[in-house]
Amino acid sequence: PADQALRIILETKHRAGKTVTIVYGFEGSEEALNELSKALKNHCGTGGSVKEGEIIIQGDHRQKIFQYLKQKGYQKTKL
C-alpha cells in the first residue's frame, strides 16, 4: 500500500446530477480491489461499486476516504 499513488476525485458527470467519489490508481488483484471497495463503503456507510479498476462511492466522502487510506498505510494518496 505504501507504494501506491491513489487519487481521490469528486464527479457528477453522466450521473444524473448525483455526486460520487472516485478512487483510482489502484495496482493489484481484482480481489484486493473488491476488498478495499467493500471496506471503504462500510467506512463511509454508503453504497458504491467497482468499475474498470476504479472504486466508485456514492456521495462526497473525499475526506473520510483520504483519512481511511492514510490510516491503512497508503502514503501517496492525493485528493
Side-chain angles (χ1 to χ4, degrees), residues 34-61:
N34 287 328
E35 187 177 309
L36 179 60
S37 172
K38 184 176 180 180
L40 288 174
K41 290 186 288 186
N42 191 25
H43 180 72
C44 293
T46 189
S49 64
V50 175
K51 291 184 183 171
E52 300 173 9
E54 297 178 339
I55 300 173
I56 302 169
I57 305 292
Q58 295 173 356
D60 183 0
H61 297 284

Side-chain angles (χ1 to χ4, degrees), residues 3-55:
D3 294 335
Q4 293 197 40
L6 297 179
R7 300 276 305 171
I8 303 169
I9 61 170
L10 191 67
E11 187 176 280
T12 57
K13 295 178 187 173
H14 310 292
R15 302 187 191 282
K18 297 187 189 234
T19 303
V20 295
T21 305
I22 299 178
V23 180
Y24 66 95
F26 184 83
E27 298 171 8
S29 68
E30 192 71 26
E31 184 177 304
L33 181 64
N34 287 328
E35 187 177 309
L36 179 60
S37 172
K38 184 176 180 180
L40 288 174
K41 290 186 288 186
N42 191 25
H43 180 72
C44 293
T46 189
S49 64
V50 175
K51 291 184 183 171
E52 300 173 9
E54 297 178 339
I55 300 173

